[in-house]
């Protein structure tokens, strides 16, 4: 049983395309995180959100608490956006639950 | 600005060896976590600690133990390494016992057990 489901698992896009990655979760949460992992392993936090929408540069994250769903959007995608994007939720306790990630490749 | 560091980026050990993976954070965070990451399985929680000398089992604690003697340092120990423990190990920390603190990750240690 996966508490966090992401789709798609793999995504290939042309440079400049608008990209959407989806995340659904089944547990009560205190916050949802979008993480980015580049080849080599390092993970950085992109967004932490508990309601509404956040924007940072070309990245937009939204969450619908009632539907237990979040989306990560990338506008005007660029090859340097190629990475694995991971959705994670922090449950009402101390644990984090992670999706298996979406591998994004942006082709020039 | 370094926040979470791990003792090694790459490590090769033999079956049966005792392995220590160290994680240090400089943000005075209460919570620290050890995960392993395997292809197709995502991040899985091994152990976490919410205070010095406190530890809680995660989803896959078998074959591992942890130590948190100081607030900034959280060690993962493989008492007798096995080949199925070959993986990427990631340490993370967050501020606060409850709530929604951002999670900061270390760079990861890729462990190979031969």
């Amino acid at each position: 049983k996966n508490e966090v489901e992401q789709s798609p698992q793999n995504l290939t896009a042309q440079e400049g395309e608008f990209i959407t990655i989806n995340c659904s979760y089944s547990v009560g949460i205190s916050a949802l995180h979008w993480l980015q992992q580049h080849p080599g392993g390092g993970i950085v936090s992109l967004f932490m959100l508990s309601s509404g929408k956040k924007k940072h540069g070309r990245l937009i994250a939204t969450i619908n608490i009632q539907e237990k769903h979040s989306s990560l959007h990338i506008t005007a995608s660029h090859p340097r956006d190629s990475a694995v994007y991971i959705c994670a939720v922090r449950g009402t306790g101390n644990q984090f639950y992670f999706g298996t990630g979406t591998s994004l490749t942006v082709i020039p | 600005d370094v926040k979470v560091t791990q003792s090694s980026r790459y490590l090769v050990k033999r079956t049966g060896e005792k392995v220590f993976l160290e994680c240090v954070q400089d943000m005075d965070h209460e919570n620290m976590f050890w995960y392993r990451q395997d292809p197709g399985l995502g991040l899985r929680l091994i152990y976490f600690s919410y205070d010095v000398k406190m530890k809680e089992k995660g989803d896959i604690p078998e074959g591992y133990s942890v130590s948190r003697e100081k607030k900034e340092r959280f060690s993962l120990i493989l008492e007798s390494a096995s080949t199925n423990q070959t993986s990427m190990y990631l340490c993370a920390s967050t501020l606060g016992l409850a709530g929604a603190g951002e999670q900061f990750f270390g760079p990861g240690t890729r462990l190979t057990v031969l």
Side-chain angles (χ1 to χ4, degrees):
Chain A
K1 172 173 96 68
N2 292 330
E3 289 84 359
V4 180
E5 300 276 0
Q6 281 184 241
S7 63
Q9 280 192 309
N10 297 284
L11 184 55
T12 301
Q14 289 291 134
E15 183 172 357
E17 280 187 20
F18 180 84
I19 288 162
T20 295
I21 299 170
N22 294 300
C23 174
S24 296
Y25 55 92
S26 58
V27 295
I29 69 168
S30 56
L32 182 142
H33 301 250
W34 281 102
L35 310 170
Q36 181 191 55
Q37 185 175 30
H38 279 286
I43 294 177
V44 295
S45 178
L46 297 174
F47 293 104
M48 180 180 69
L49 64 165
S50 53
S51 66
K53 177 179 173 177
K54 285 191 176 180
K55 185 175 189 290
H56 182 70
R58 295 181 293 106
L59 301 177
I60 303 167
T62 64
I63 187 169
N64 185 318
I65 297 295
Q66 286 73 30
E67 294 185 4
K68 295 190 173 181
H69 181 268
S70 176
S71 293
L72 176 68
H73 306 285
I74 305 175
T75 61
S77 59
H78 190 277
R80 65 175 174 266
D81 297 328
S82 297
V84 175
Y85 292 85
I86 301 168
C87 174
V89 299
R90 186 167 187 171
T92 49
N94 249 330
Q95 277 208 15
F96 280 83
Y97 303 94
F98 294 85
T100 53
T102 295
S103 179
L104 171 66
T105 303
V106 181
I107 299 169
Chain B
D1 55 340
V2 173
K3 297 187 187 312
V4 182
T5 58
Q6 293 183 227
S7 48
S8 306
R9 290 300 304 273
Y10 300 94
L11 208 52
V12 179
K13 294 292 182 181
R14 297 209 174 272
T15 301
E17 281 193 78
K18 191 168 186 176
V19 182
F20 292 88
L21 302 181
E22 282 216 315
C23 175
V24 177
Q25 50 93 5
D26 63 0
M27 295 167 285
D28 203 34
H29 284 174
E30 287 90 352
N31 300 335
M32 296 187 74
F33 305 81
W34 273 108
Y35 299 95
R36 63 177 284 176
Q37 185 181 34
D38 301 288
L41 296 177
L43 283 147
R44 293 181 291 166
L45 181 64
I46 304 171
Y47 268 96
F48 68 98
S49 167
Y50 52 87
D51 202 352
V52 176
K53 295 193 186 296
M54 306 300 284
K55 60 186 179 185
E56 293 279 348
K57 292 180 181 179
D59 299 319
I60 50 165
E62 297 78 19
Y64 303 94
S65 62
V66 290
S67 171
R68 187 137 182 232
E69 295 297 317
K70 294 184 177 181
K71 190 176 186 181
E72 68 271 17
R73 192 179 298 268
F74 191 34
S75 301
L76 180 70
I77 303 145
L78 288 65
E79 293 290 341
S80 178
S82 63
T83 54
N84 62 12
Q85 292 178 309
T86 293
S87 187
M88 168 72 92
Y89 290 88
L90 287 150
C91 173
S93 71
T94 66
L95 179 66
L97 184 61
E102 182 180 351
Q103 198 167 49
F104 293 88
F105 285 85
T109 296
R110 190 166 292 281
L111 172 67
T112 302
V113 183
L114 301 176

